[in-house]
Amino acid sequence: MADAQHEEVLARIAEGLLYTETEAAFLAPRRRQDEIFAYNHTPPGEAERRRELLVEILASVGERTVLLPPFHAAFGSNVHIGDDFFGNVNLTFVDDVGIRIGDDVMIAPGVTLTTTGHPVHPARRADFGRFSEPIVIEDKVWIGSNAVVLPGVRIGYGSVIGAGSVVSRSIPPMSVALGTPCRVVRPITEEDLAERTA
């Protein structure tokens, strides 16, 4: 019977429907809290140990990945990171479901990627009622400091998210987007190749 109940909860989670802390308790063994603690307390000179821990923590991790401690994650095991990733300090993954990050992505300090939200009506938040939707960050994206990316968002190839933005809807490729709520302000063009040159 427990397996059938677990399957039913997983199906609701996959559909972005409400579920509770008690219903999802069987997922707790997938949390990597001890490994995250160890990673955040590993000395800077122990690059190999940090890499070993990152492989243990994340669902998948590419080559030449830099993730500066401390970082935080609800699970860790639902995060996929591509090659040549740079994540600055205090990156938070609320990864109750999948977070997929492509290649050549840069994330500035203090960014939160949260796949999970809560209903507006307090009666629906009993037992920490919540919903979860995956986040996808495509290749070559840059996310500025203190941005928050909300459930279900996809950030398109090459786009830039301005510092302090709250990204509540998907952003198309090759766009500069910023604000609260985050909105596209312009496309990225060939003219941007000349920025900050002599």
Side-chain angles (χ1 to χ4, degrees):
M1 182 63 172
D3 287 346
Q5 288 174 333
H6 294 173
E7 290 301 319
E8 188 270 332
V9 172
L10 289 171
R12 271 194 283 135
I13 292 172
E15 292 180 44
L17 300 176
L18 286 181
Y19 62 98
T20 68
E21 180 70 20
T22 299
E23 290 173 324
F26 69 96
L27 296 172
R30 298 178 57 197
R31 295 182 186 271
R32 303 291 182 257
Q33 299 305 310
D34 289 344
E35 294 87 349
I36 293 168
F37 180 88
Y39 184 91
N40 287 336
H41 292 85
T42 301
E46 295 184 17
E48 285 185 29
R49 178 63 181 141
R50 278 193 181 168
R51 174 69 186 185
E52 289 169 2
L53 285 164
L54 213 51
V55 168
E56 290 178 32
I57 294 164
L58 302 179
S60 62
V61 57
E63 299 300 319
R64 298 169 302 279
T65 295
V66 176
L67 179 55
L68 298 182
F71 86 96
H72 311 279
F75 286 82
S77 61
N78 292 322
V79 177
H80 301 262
I81 294 178
D83 295 337
D84 299 303
F85 170 82
F86 182 84
N88 216 316
V89 297
N90 292 318
L91 175 54
T92 298
F93 301 104
V94 182
D95 62 318
D96 291 49
V97 297
I99 296 175
R100 294 193 170 271
I101 299 173
D103 298 336
D104 301 302
V105 170
M106 297 190 306
I107 299 182
V111 169
T112 298
L113 308 176
T114 180
T115 64
T116 296
H118 301 276
V120 172
H121 198 289
R124 303 296 305 270
R125 296 195 299 267
D127 193 13
F128 305 104
R130 58 190 181 263
F131 60 88
S132 299
E133 297 177 29
I135 290 172
V136 176
I137 299 171
E138 296 182 5
D139 296 348
K140 300 188 182 299
V141 166
W142 170 30
I143 300 177
S145 297
N146 298 311
V148 178
V149 179
L150 296 177
V153 165
R154 174 183 286 267
I155 300 176
Y157 173 94
S159 287
V160 174
I161 305 300
S165 296
V166 176
V167 190
S168 58
R169 66 185 73 177
S170 293
I171 303 298
M174 296 297 285
S175 302
V176 175
L178 53 89
T180 303
C182 188
R183 299 191 189 289
V184 174
V185 295
R186 69 176 181 87
I188 296 172
T189 67
E190 296 298 304
E191 292 178 8
D192 290 305
L193 290 171
E195 183 182 352
R196 294 185 185 263
T197 59

